[in-house]
Amino acid sequence: MNDLLAEFLRGYTANNQWAIIMPEIMLAVLALGLLGAEMVLPKKSHGLIPRLALWGQLFVLVVAMTAGSYIGFESKSYFSGMIYQTDITQFMRGFFLVCSILVCYLGHIYLSKQQLPKTEFYHLVIIISAAMMLLVQSSNFVMLFVALETVTVAFYVLVAYCRSSSLSLEAGLKYLVMGALSSSILLFGIVLLYGVAGNPELAFNSQDALNFDELRNFIALNSDNLLVRVGALLVIAGICFKIGAVPFQIWVPDVYQGSPTPVTAYLAVASKAAGFIVLLQLVTGPFMGLQGLLVPVLSFVAAATILFGNFAAVTQRNVKRLMGLSGIAHAGYILVGVIAAMRGVAWAPYAVIFYLVTYLLASFAVFGVMTHLAGSDDANQELDDYENLARKRPFLGGILACGLGSLAGIPPLGGFIGKLFLFVAAFQAELFGLLGISVLGVVISIYYYFGWVRECYFGNASDEVIHDVKAPFNMSDRVLLGALVVGTVIIGIVPAALPIIP
Amino acid sequence: MGHYDTTSLFLLAAILAPLIAGVILLFGGRFHINTLRAIGAFGFGWPLIIGLMLYSLFEPSLVGDYNFEMRMPTGLESIGIYLHLGLNGISMPLFLLAGTVGFAAGLYAMYSNAERLHLYLALLLFMLGGLMGTFASVDIFFFYFFHEFALIPTFIMIGIWGGAGRRSAAIEMTIYLTLGALLSLLGLIALYVQSGVDSFSLLELRQYLLAQPLSETVQNNIFALLLFGFGILVSLFPFHSWAPKGYAVAPSGAAMLHAGVLKKFGLYGLLQISAPLLPAGAAHWFPWIVGLALCNILFIGLVTMAQKDLKMMLGYSSVMHMGYAFLGIATFSIVGVGGALLMMVAHGLSVALLFMLSTCIYHRSQTFDLSKMGGLATKAPVLAAFFVAATMASIGLPGFGNFWGEFTIFAALAEVEKTRWIVAPAAIGIIISAIYGLRAVANIFFGQPKEEFEAQLNGGTIEDLKGFEKLPAGILIAALVIVGIFPRILSDDANRELAEIYPTVDTLPHHEVSAIPSKETHKEVSH
């Protein structure tokens, strides 16, 4: 036993690879610790658990951000090519942590209105965060699949978390079926690629065909092979499920509506962002050789996604479905950035990340307001519930208006700069058709985003009370929501404030 | 970081002062009314004071360059965007226009009885800050940025304080204007990408594009984006339908700033950016501009004549007068474009005045319906005098700025064989505007009052203009008269600048319109 331990320690100190995934390990420990704390702590001090979750994650955030300074970060591969860290993955660590902190905070508000088990919620949110951090760092299909499944399985539970609500259960079932389907499609694609890349008769065949680098070399030389093409398309299709791109968007409205609002926000922001980073890494990495096939396919998908999302959102009255459908449209805009990256615009990945950050800030501001206004059943918030909100609760009204304005892309809010970057990148990649469609989409989106602001600032002159309960609204809520809006304004005016900028 | 000097800091202050005052007022729900007014007076007055001061410091010898330049990085350097401010002979008049109309609109708003006054003033201040920024920007990205920024407050202002039908009008106007703005943004990005200079600075783009013009097809395509994008913002026919509806329901402050100043953004963009940088594109689209502009003048002119609602009539008439500015730009001559610039300034002042006075009339008559008024002059002679003067100005009577604008545009059109025929239909427009303008005056102020209105008139509740209404109206009239009597205070610098930045005619492909310098610019151009 002692020998084993000594061996481990020797290996550990000689080649300290575990340290590079320290934030993920710490999150896993924190998540398990929460479950342990619930068993150990007496019932009356269970109020400590959310605090432990929040402060623990903040601590991890500090560690993650100080441990690897990501400005001028040197890209490096670890664990025999399982993990590949770049400045982007370093930044995304922070991104996911911020998301999970916000989700935990909103979850705290949400759970205080429900009769539901509490600790598991934080546990799952933190596990998802750790898994997403690994997901974007993976450079091997096995690693990618395992991390992705960890995320997905945890989401199955979270989506159906409100087990007293039939809508939540329905959403859970739909997400389960669709998620399992997409995972199997993804896996099928991976297997096809693995199989064909191991064929000894083909040039650059590899024994380690799940590794992105090996696969990249193989695909570059065999881009005409039918199995390669089918496999890559299946993998892309699997990812498109996760980001909610047409034609794999069908689950989005129902799942977004039924999930608890904080989980909806998590799905909308973090899960989508993870999908995009993976997509970005795939199309600029292993699938680089398939440009000729993937650019037209993804262009078509992006165009359809933008148009579907916007047109479908126009008629929505339920705000959660509206956020879901408009989120589809945003996925379409981001896809345009991904395509630009694929066509060789070197800074396009950073444009995508900038857009994701603006999307995070704006979406959480909107979801935050929604969480505050929700009653015990938060699946049925309608636009009518927001009538004259700005008169009754000017602060929440202002936050909502800024969040929606940023999503619509109005200066001086961050969303505008995000769109600007994407448009410039698309211009440089000469994607004129997609640009036209994006502009059309943005114009349509004005209708529903401003329609919502209109309800909130000048609804029909009725004086209905907003929903039932007035959520207790304390200082930290104000600070948090205010900070999101201030952040949106700051990166809208001085984009350099964001440490990773094109 | 960046470079700037003292005067350019004043320029920055003219943008920031209204914004800061606006942010303070946003949280001023519990302020005393006098505190609100003091903060408002600072925010509204400061840009005008700085505008006048900078005008006096304006250095004409810097033709082709900018006065009061400053350049600061904001984090977008990687795609060539800096906060680059400055004024040249073309932007100076509009900068002053924004300051003047902003001050008048602010004064009027501060003493209005709007509900939630602090929010109203704050939004108006945001709008003003955006406008000052738009005209002070050398960087075409910030030029766009500030415009969009100024646009959004109109949505909320129409929605909260607008008249009947405000909910749909607010959304319609915003969607329409966003479409126009995004098209022009695409055009600006296209200009940036195609030129390959890696800079959004108008100066650098101009230097580069004058030396190496873009190919004709590219110019045509980009010019189309800018023409129709800016065209929607200026209510070019057939993209005008938002304007009358929006202005009809907009509260007076928003209507004054929007119709008076914000709308000039598109024209300013055309004459400062599109036409000089893309001369071949301008030549290619010349027949389109003329055709659509004539539709603005004649077709919309006739529609204006048919209006029964005072505010709808004003809205349509402002759409109509934009046609003249388009014609001026289409001539591509210093005289014509300079005329368009004068026209923009004068029209901005007169339309703002008319919108303000129409609200004053409404407060007395409780209606905008022209057929339900009459004889108001007996009770409100000063109001009548102001309104008559403003109407005369907008028709283009000599002595007011509008006259010089229209006159020089006609002169430029008549100068060239090819465009001479346009003068005839354009002149018919003047007659049309005289008909509806004078008819409105007659219906409101003179003649036998209608029965219901007579009762109101005799009821004795109707008073003449009050001090807070006279002051802004007086400022606007005074500005109109000053521009009308001494147009050279604005046009000298402008023409010098135009002669510098517009490519000379013989370098243009397919363009027979020649630029014959006016008397005023003769000396400068002849070198």
Side-chain angles (χ1 to χ4, degrees):
Chain A
M1 190 66 203
N2 271 349
D3 286 352
L4 265 179
L5 189 61
E7 182 72 11
F8 170 76
L9 283 178
R10 205 170 302 130
Y12 182 78
T13 43
N15 168 9
N16 193 0
Q17 290 204 324
W18 292 98
I20 59 120
I21 53 165
M22 193 48 89
E24 289 83 351
I25 294 174
M26 286 166 72
L27 280 182
V29 171
L30 175 66
L32 288 174
L34 292 178
L35 292 184
E38 197 199 15
M39 284 190 280
V40 175
L41 287 177
K43 229 187 174 109
K44 61 177 190 292
S45 31
H46 276 189
L48 280 176
I49 290 175
R51 282 188 204 161
L52 184 63
L54 279 175
W55 289 108
Q57 288 180 84
L58 274 175
F59 176 71
V60 178
L61 181 65
V62 172
V63 170
M65 293 297 94
T66 49
S69 157
Y70 42 89
I71 301 162
F73 186 83
E74 206 179 325
S75 305
K76 220 171 167 183
S77 173
Y78 301 93
F79 294 107
S80 344
M82 282 283 172
I83 294 246
Y84 186 70
Q85 291 188 335
T86 61
D87 52 347
I88 292 181
T89 65
Q90 284 298 97
F91 183 81
M92 289 315 284
R93 272 181 167 168
F95 183 95
F96 294 133
L97 267 169
V98 171
C99 281
S100 62
I101 291 170
L102 290 169
V103 171
C104 285
Y105 191 89
L106 295 182
H108 180 57
I109 299 170
Y110 171 79
L111 290 171
S112 67
K113 298 176 189 170
Q114 310 281 346
Q115 298 292 326
L116 290 171
K118 302 198 163 43
T119 317
E120 289 81 353
F121 184 91
Y122 304 108
H123 171 82
L124 289 167
V125 168
I126 294 172
I127 289 291
I128 289 177
S129 180
M132 284 196 289
M133 286 155 73
L134 286 177
L135 176 62
V136 297
Q137 294 175 50
S138 55
S139 72
N140 184 305
F141 268 125
V142 171
M143 182 72 202
L144 182 137
F145 188 74
V146 171
L148 189 67
E149 277 306 275
T150 315
V151 175
T152 316
V153 171
F155 263 125
Y156 295 152
V157 185
L158 280 183
V159 167
Y161 202 79
C162 186
R163 57 191 179 204
S164 53
S165 147
S166 58
L167 280 170
S168 182
L169 292 178
E170 180 193 337
L173 189 66
K174 282 186 174 159
Y175 192 62
L176 176 68
V177 173
M178 287 302 182
L181 183 64
S182 77
S183 294
S184 55
I185 290 178
L186 178 73
L187 196 57
F188 192 33
I190 294 173
V191 169
L192 275 183
L193 286 176
Y194 178 70
V196 71
N199 183 346
E201 285 168 22
L202 293 174
F204 263 102
N205 69 76
S206 161
Q207 295 306 308
D208 185 17
L210 291 171
N211 184 297
F212 284 5
D213 282 337
E214 302 269 327
L215 209 51
R216 179 197 178 114
N217 296 334
F218 173 77
I219 289 179
L221 283 177
N222 297 286
S223 59
D224 287 337
N225 188 309
L226 182 67
L227 286 180
V228 169
R229 293 182 157 221
V230 173
L233 281 181
L234 288 177
V235 170
I236 298 283
I239 306 277
C240 281
F241 260 108
K242 304 294 175 204
I243 58 179
V246 173
F248 311 108
Q249 85 297 356
I250 208 70
W251 57 276
V252 169
D254 286 335
V255 172
Y256 277 37
Q257 185 191 359
S259 313
T261 306
V263 177
T264 310
Y266 209 17
L267 267 178
V269 179
S271 169
K272 194 177 282 172
F276 271 110
I277 302 296
V278 169
L279 187 62
L280 206 52
Q281 286 168 345
L282 287 177
V283 297
T284 55
F287 295 165
M288 199 63 192
L290 290 170
Q291 253 195 44
L293 170 71
L294 290 182
V295 169
V297 169
L298 283 180
S299 301
F300 179 76
V301 169
T305 307
I306 294 172
L307 291 177
F308 175 88
N310 281 311
F311 279 116
V314 164
T315 56
Q316 271 310 324
R317 300 293 295 175
N318 180 298
V319 289
K320 282 172 89 178
R321 291 178 83 87
L322 194 153
M323 282 305 281
L325 291 164
S326 75
I328 293 178
H330 285 283
Y333 306 136
I334 303 174
L335 265 179
V336 176
V338 173
I339 298 167
M342 212 173 166
R343 299 204 30 167
V345 178
W347 58 277
Y350 298 97
V352 168
I353 289 175
F354 192 93
Y355 197 92
L356 288 173
V357 174
T358 63
Y359 188 61
L360 180 156
L361 293 172
S363 296
F364 271 103
V366 174
F367 281 117
V369 174
M370 281 163 63
T371 312
H372 276 291
L373 294 182
S376 56
D377 173 23
D378 72 344
N380 284 322
Q381 288 194 41
E382 303 285 322
L383 279 182
D384 301 336
D385 299 331
Y386 286 80
E387 263 182 19
N388 295 323
L389 174 67
R391 251 171 218 278
K392 299 169 205 163
R393 321 253 321 243
F395 181 79
L396 285 181
I399 299 283
L400 187 70
C402 288
L404 292 173
S406 181
L407 288 175
I410 302 300
L413 303 166
F416 171 67
I417 304 287
K419 289 212 168 68
L420 175 84
F421 280 142
L422 285 186
F423 284 1
V424 173
F427 249 111
Q428 289 179 345
E430 299 185 343
L431 304 167
F432 301 123
L434 282 179
L435 268 171
I437 290 175
S438 307
V439 166
L440 181 65
V442 174
V443 172
I444 300 171
S445 75
I446 296 285
Y447 175 77
Y448 52 83
Y449 284 134
F450 277 61
W452 195 348
V453 176
R454 177 174 74 171
E455 295 299 338
C456 149
Y457 272 87
F458 38 102
N460 283 320
S462 66
D463 254 332
E464 284 173 68
V465 188
I466 313 165
H467 248 23
D468 32 22
V469 271
K470 268 207 167 184
F473 196 58
N474 55 32
M475 203 58 201
S476 62
D477 297 341
R478 265 172 204 276
V479 169
L480 188 85
L481 290 178
L484 288 171
V485 164
V486 169
T488 303
V489 174
I490 287 178
I491 65 170
I493 294 174
V494 191
L498 201 65
I500 194 158
I501 177 178
Chain B
M1 56 184 269
H3 82 254
Y4 53 87
D5 57 36
T6 326
T7 49
S8 63
L9 285 182
F10 277 109
L11 189 58
L12 186 64
I15 302 167
L16 290 182
L19 296 183
I20 293 169
V23 171
I24 297 174
L25 286 185
L26 207 53
F27 298 99
R30 300 208 186 99
F31 288 2
H32 188 263
I33 182 81
N34 287 335
T35 325
L36 285 183
R37 284 180 186 155
I39 299 171
F42 165 75
F44 288 116
W46 191 237
L48 180 59
I49 295 171
I50 291 185
L52 292 172
M53 190 193 88
L54 292 182
Y55 177 77
S56 67
L57 295 173
F58 193 81
E59 186 62 62
S61 62
L62 283 172
V63 167
D65 211 334
Y66 279 82
N67 278 270
F68 326 119
E69 253 186 288
M70 72 174 295
R71 203 171 116 134
M72 301 265 248
T74 62
L76 294 170
E77 303 86 83
S78 58
I79 52 172
I81 294 174
Y82 291 84
L83 178 59
H84 191 166
L85 301 178
L87 289 174
N88 69 5
I90 303 173
S91 52
M92 188 78 223
L94 292 165
F95 191 75
L96 281 173
L97 169 72
T100 315
V101 175
F103 184 59
L107 268 184
Y108 185 62
M110 277 191 281
Y111 288 89
S112 72
N113 50 2
E115 195 191 340
R116 282 191 279 174
L117 186 65
H118 69 105
L119 188 59
Y120 186 67
L121 292 180
L123 290 169
L124 213 52
L125 283 165
F126 286 143
M127 216 171 149
L128 180 61
L131 287 170
M132 304 312 287
T134 294
F135 295 123
S137 291
V138 182
D139 189 287
I140 56 176
F141 165 76
F142 273 100
F143 157 76
Y144 175 87
F145 179 94
F146 281 122
H147 167 262
E148 273 283 283
F149 181 73
L151 197 59
I152 296 310
T154 14
F155 167 75
I156 304 177
M157 288 166 83
I158 291 179
I160 299 184
W161 295 278
R166 61 207 162 89
R167 275 166 59 88
S168 60
I171 280 271
E172 182 185 336
M173 184 167 171
T174 311
I175 292 178
Y176 227 134
L177 294 182
T178 312
L179 175 66
L182 281 173
L183 283 181
S184 54
L185 178 66
L186 283 189
L188 297 177
I189 298 178
L191 203 58
Y192 159 81
V193 174
Q194 295 290 354
S195 71
V197 284
D198 206 25
S199 166
F200 271 91
S201 157
L202 188 54
L203 271 177
E204 284 172 46
L205 280 171
R206 186 187 297 141
Q207 271 166 11
Y208 184 86
L209 290 178
L210 281 185
Q212 294 127 294
L214 296 170
S215 80
E216 213 170 303
T217 329
V218 175
Q219 287 205 26
N220 292 347
N221 293 343
I222 301 181
F223 194 87
L225 283 173
L226 292 175
L227 173 64
F228 292 108
F230 288 142
I232 291 175
L233 298 177
V234 198
S235 62
L236 177 65
F237 183 86
F239 311 112
H240 62 275
S241 63
W242 60 267
K245 256 189 222 166
Y247 293 148
V249 299
S252 51
M256 285 168 83
L257 269 186
H258 198 289
V261 193
L262 189 59
K263 205 167 152 192
K264 307 295 179 291
F265 163 86
L267 291 168
Y268 172 71
L270 280 176
L271 66 80
Q272 175 96 293
I273 301 172
S274 329
L277 297 189
L278 304 161
H284 176 84
W285 289 96
F286 168 77
W288 284 82
I289 306 180
V290 171
L292 295 178
L294 284 179
C295 282
N296 264 45
I297 294 172
L298 294 177
F299 181 71
I300 303 296
L302 293 174
V303 173
T304 317
M305 269 170 64
Q307 296 306 314
K308 299 227 157 39
D309 180 288
L310 173 60
K311 263 193 141 179
M312 285 293 262
M313 189 202 90
L314 293 179
Y316 273 113
S317 98
S318 91
V319 174
M320 171 193 172
H321 283 109
M322 290 300 99
Y324 292 106
F326 276 109
L327 284 182
I329 294 172
T331 62
F332 211 76
S333 66
I334 315 289
V335 191
V337 181
L341 185 66
L342 265 184
M343 167 90 200
M344 283 155 66
V345 174
H347 177 263
L349 295 168
S350 65
V351 82
L353 179 60
L354 281 170
F355 272 119
M356 198 198 103
L357 293 176
S358 73
T359 309
C360 298
I361 292 171
Y362 181 79
H363 285 318
R364 286 158 181 81
S365 67
Q366 310 306 323
T367 177
F368 282 122
D369 194 334
L370 288 173
S371 60
K372 288 188 182 152
M373 292 186 249
L376 189 57
T378 53
K379 295 283 175 181
V382 181
L383 173 59
F386 272 121
F387 194 87
V388 170
T391 308
M392 292 304 169
S394 100
I395 296 170
L397 208 70
F400 295 105
N402 310 51
F403 168 73
W404 291 109
E406 284 172 11
F407 178 76
T408 40
I409 292 169
F410 285 166
L413 287 170
E415 206 121 43
V416 183
E417 181 73 47
K418 191 182 149 199
T419 55
R420 200 162 291 158
W421 65 274
I422 303 171
V423 177
I428 295 178
I430 304 268
I431 300 172
I432 294 177
S433 67
I435 293 175
Y436 65 70
L438 296 176
R439 203 171 56 187
V441 168
N443 272 336
I444 300 169
F445 292 102
F446 304 106
Q448 192 60 36
K450 301 289 171 300
E451 279 173 33
E452 277 180 49
F453 191 59
E454 194 169 16
Q456 272 184 33
L457 274 182
N458 297 333
T461 50
I462 293 180
E463 297 170 25
D464 206 353
L465 279 194
K466 300 202 184 69
F468 76 92
E469 294 169 319
K470 275 185 203 158
L471 185 59
I475 292 171
L476 291 172
I477 281 281
L480 268 174
V481 171
I482 292 171
V483 177
I485 296 178
F486 310 105
R488 295 187 52 170
I489 57 172
L490 298 178
S491 64
D492 273 4
D493 288 330
N495 288 342
R496 225 176 273 128
E497 190 67 34
L498 288 170
E500 176 72 24
I501 69 168
Y502 273 63
T504 41
V505 170
D506 36 298
T507 62
L508 297 182
H510 313 304
H511 205 270
E512 298 96 78
V513 183
S514 70
I516 296 171
S518 70
K519 278 174 205 147
E520 291 167 3
T521 57
H522 198 259
K523 265 174 275 170
E524 288 80 22
V525 180
S526 57
H527 62 251

